[in-house]
Amino acid sequence: MTSSTPHSPEPAIALREILAFDDSGTLRAVLVPAGPDAGVRGVAVGDEGAAQPLDGCLVLVVGAPAASAGAADAVREAARHGASGVVLRDTPGVATAPEVLAAAEETGIALLTRAEWATWADTAALLRSALACARAGLDDGAPGIAASGAESLTALADAVAADTGGSITIEDTRFRVLAHSATGPEADGLRRSTILGGRVPRWRVAELRRSGMLRLLWTSRDVIHRAADADGPERLIIAVRSGPEVLGSIWAAADGRALSPHASGALRRAAEVAAPLLVRHRLRESGALRRRELALRGLLDGDGDARTHAWSLGLSPDAACAVVVVDRDAAASAGDRTLDVLALHAVSYRPSVQVLRDGDRLFALLPVGVGRERDALGLARELATLAPSLPGGVPVLAGAGPVAATALRVRASCEEAALIVRVLRERAARADGAGPDRYADAAAVGPSLDVVRVLNAVRPVWEAGGGPVHELVRADLAAGGELVRTLSAYLDASGDVARAAARLMVHPNTLRYRLRRVRERFGVDLDDPDTRLLITLAVRLTG
């Protein structure tokens, strides 16, 4: 069990304040024996076997749901270690088990449930943000930002404007304006169009992306300075974060006068105060976001009603679309942060782009207008080029699928994009020192795409078969795969022993010896065309 309770106790926050912060409907108070003023000091995530002090924590019980009688043990365990309450997973249409209610009544701790659509990560972020926001408001003597920030994003924008001497916008990661300060008569045209349109204009986002400013924003943890130029006045920008996750950004623009010398410090404080408010904003949308994620997954996988999925994503079912698949390099030991930044970058490519992160893979659904059929390749190129240049970035492979005539047919585009990534990965594995291609569309990979389709089709036949070639491959792979690698190099070199030996970094006589072993030990005749074809397929299927 892990707890956010620090060594020196934080002030307790009344449970009613935490519930008031939750305007997303994530939490429901089932039973509060000590009343709504019961104090909460922190959040802990644990299981039924934990044994550590939980002074005043709300414990997220990730095991049995509230409808299960077994959850009563978790309630008693949390109470025994000093917890102020527990949060259990709700089961729609099923009441909380009587045993669980009795355990909460008996121990006197609060019993809350988490909405079925929310995740434990959502719930933990909500609770920690509620505590941080409430504590920011405890100090009535705090100046400017600290005092106003706990009220609303608009109040925060006004407070930051007063502290920096500039005009403020607070934006989410899609560059939608969530709040802004009053606009003075000297405001530049970009600020006016951004506020009137409710989001940063597309041309401006494209410019920031091309200049590298977005990459800097998503990866930097400090204030970024943008000098005045012909297009606008001096600006200061800072990303708002919750741990490693970027929630949005705050922009301060000089508005007819110079920014305050203390503006950078004011922005740093504002980013801290804004984080819980942006978490709350995100949680308000989390139900809709989760529905959009399910709709996008359904559209890409071909599950469910495609027309309904398209409308849920705000897409016309008749809209032409293409899919870009991004896969991190298999040799990279890490890369989660890289994919997170690439997801933000993909959304900035065009507001209509829909992004889905699935493990080590990223999917981007891109509506494509007439005459812009190569936009998907452009996005693939940007993402593949950007990834290794990020701080701590790892290489990725990006495949651009073909344009599907309607959104209802994007599954085929997604499948082809994934096959293109597979081709790129296989080419990288066979590269002879040359830098492999990191992005491509079907035209760029040529017949290799059809070869991958053929391999997929013949795999069941190979796996069900037998004979000398099967015996060779299975025995050699079990022994380390030396002969299979030798055959792969020999076949790729079209039977040129010298070239194959150079690739394997062995003497040509060593390679000839290994080929004799293939013939003498396993009875495999490389001069027979059918045998060569079967070996070629076997080597490609087994890597």
Side-chain angles (χ1 to χ4, degrees):
M1 178 177 293
T2 57
S3 170
S4 63
T5 303
H7 293 298
S8 30
E10 291 275 14
I13 303 300
L15 180 60
R16 58 180 168 76
E17 290 191 52
I18 294 173
L19 294 174
F21 183 88
D22 173 30
D23 50 13
S24 62
T26 299
L27 297 171
R28 180 171 68 92
V30 178
L31 185 66
V32 187
D37 287 325
V40 177
R41 295 185 184 277
V43 183
V45 182
D47 54 34
E48 298 167 332
Q52 70 175 68
L54 298 169
D55 182 27
C57 280
L58 275 177
V59 179
L60 309 186
V61 179
V62 299
S68 168
D73 292 338
V75 174
R76 293 190 177 89
E77 181 76 8
R80 185 161 59 251
H81 294 289
S84 60
V86 295
V87 182
L88 301 171
R89 176 166 48 87
D90 192 20
T91 304
V94 183
T96 301
E99 295 86 348
V100 176
L101 292 170
E105 185 74 49
E106 168 194 324
T107 58
I109 69 173
L111 175 63
L112 289 76
T113 57
R114 182 211 86 192
E116 186 265 346
W117 51 262
T119 66
W120 286 117
D122 289 337
T123 309
L126 168 67
L127 291 170
R128 290 178 178 130
S129 294
L131 289 168
C133 200
R135 284 172 182 142
L138 285 177
D139 184 2
D140 293 332
I145 292 172
S148 300
E151 298 171 10
S152 70
L153 286 172
T154 299
L156 176 59
D158 289 338
V160 182
D163 281 3
T164 62
S167 296
I168 303 299
T169 55
I170 302 176
E171 302 165 9
D172 66 9
T173 54
R174 286 182 174 265
F175 300 99
R176 296 176 297 185
V177 177
L178 305 180
H180 61 87
S181 61
T183 301
E186 302 297 326
D188 63 287
L190 174 61
R191 174 175 168 80
R192 291 182 181 278
S193 63
T194 296
I195 292 173
L196 288 173
R199 69 185 315 137
V200 178
R202 283 175 54 181
W203 65 265
R204 176 65 164 180
V205 176
E207 175 196 279
L208 294 172
R209 192 177 65 249
R210 286 193 300 270
S211 69
M213 179 61 73
L214 290 191
R215 177 184 64 187
L216 183 60
L217 176 61
W218 300 142
T219 57
S220 174
R221 292 186 173 272
D222 205 353
V223 175
I224 299 168
H225 177 258
R226 186 180 175 96
D229 55 26
D231 296 326
E234 174 189 18
R235 281 178 166 80
L236 295 178
I237 317 109
I238 190 168
V240 180
R241 299 174 178 274
S242 176
E245 183 179 9
V246 178
L247 302 171
S249 55
I250 304 176
W251 297 66
D255 195 356
R257 55 176 178 161
L259 293 172
S260 162
H262 310 294
S264 292
L267 277 188
R268 293 186 192 98
R269 295 194 300 275
E272 293 178 6
V273 175
L277 299 173
L278 287 180
V279 167
R280 178 162 67 175
H281 170 78
R282 179 169 290 190
L283 287 167
R284 283 195 197 108
E285 296 187 326
S286 60
L289 287 171
R290 212 160 302 284
R291 286 192 294 274
R292 285 200 293 272
E293 178 182 316
L294 291 172
L296 180 54
R297 192 180 295 276
L299 206 58
L300 297 178
D301 291 345
D303 291 336
D305 182 64
R307 188 171 294 274
T308 300
H309 292 330
W311 287 124
S312 297
L313 294 169
L315 284 173
S316 166
D318 297 326
C321 299
V323 176
V324 174
V325 173
V326 178
D327 218 346
R328 73 183 186 190
D329 195 305
S333 58
D336 286 350
R337 180 67 186 139
T338 299
L339 290 181
D340 288 342
V341 175
L342 294 184
L344 293 172
H345 199 78
V347 169
S348 75
Y349 188 77
R350 192 173 301 158
S352 54
V353 171
Q354 306 279 347
V355 177
L356 175 66
R357 170 79 185 276
D358 188 9
D360 292 340
R361 183 167 278 189
L362 192 71
F363 300 86
L365 174 65
L366 174 69
V368 177
V370 176
R372 303 184 67 97
E373 289 77 10
R374 294 183 66 79
D375 276 7
L377 182 61
L379 176 56
R381 178 176 58 250
E382 281 204 18
L383 299 180
T385 304
L386 173 64
S389 70
L390 296 171
V394 300
V396 300
L397 303 171
V403 176
T406 74
L408 310 183
R409 299 178 181 175
V410 297
R411 179 183 181 182
S413 179
C414 183
E415 289 176 343
E416 184 158 314
L419 290 178
I420 291 169
V421 169
R422 179 174 160 188
V423 171
L424 293 176
R425 190 177 300 285
E426 291 181 356
R427 285 184 175 180
R430 297 197 304 269
D432 293 322
D437 292 333
R438 291 287 171 185
Y439 67 91
D441 59 6
V445 296
S448 298
L449 188 60
D450 285 331
V451 170
V452 170
R453 290 194 177 101
V454 169
L455 292 174
N456 284 345
V458 303
R459 182 177 296 278
V461 178
W462 161 259
E463 291 176 348
V469 174
H470 287 77
E471 183 184 348
L472 161 65
V473 171
R474 289 167 184 162
D476 184 61
L477 289 179
E482 180 183 83
L483 295 181
V484 169
R485 288 191 296 274
T486 298
L487 289 169
S488 176
Y490 178 71
L491 294 168
D492 284 348
S494 302
D496 186 323
V497 170
R499 187 150 58 96
R503 179 180 170 188
L504 292 169
M505 292 185 291
V506 299
H507 193 278
N509 287 341
T510 300
L511 189 138
R512 293 187 182 96
Y513 167 72
R514 292 177 183 175
L515 295 178
R516 283 199 302 274
R517 283 177 58 201
V518 166
R519 182 188 301 271
E520 294 168 1
R521 179 179 174 186
F522 297 98
V524 172
D525 182 6
L526 293 176
D527 294 329
D528 178 64
D530 289 342
T531 300
R532 281 201 309 274
L533 175 59
L534 184 57
I535 288 179
T536 301
L537 292 173
V539 167
R540 294 293 297 272
L541 286 169
T542 58

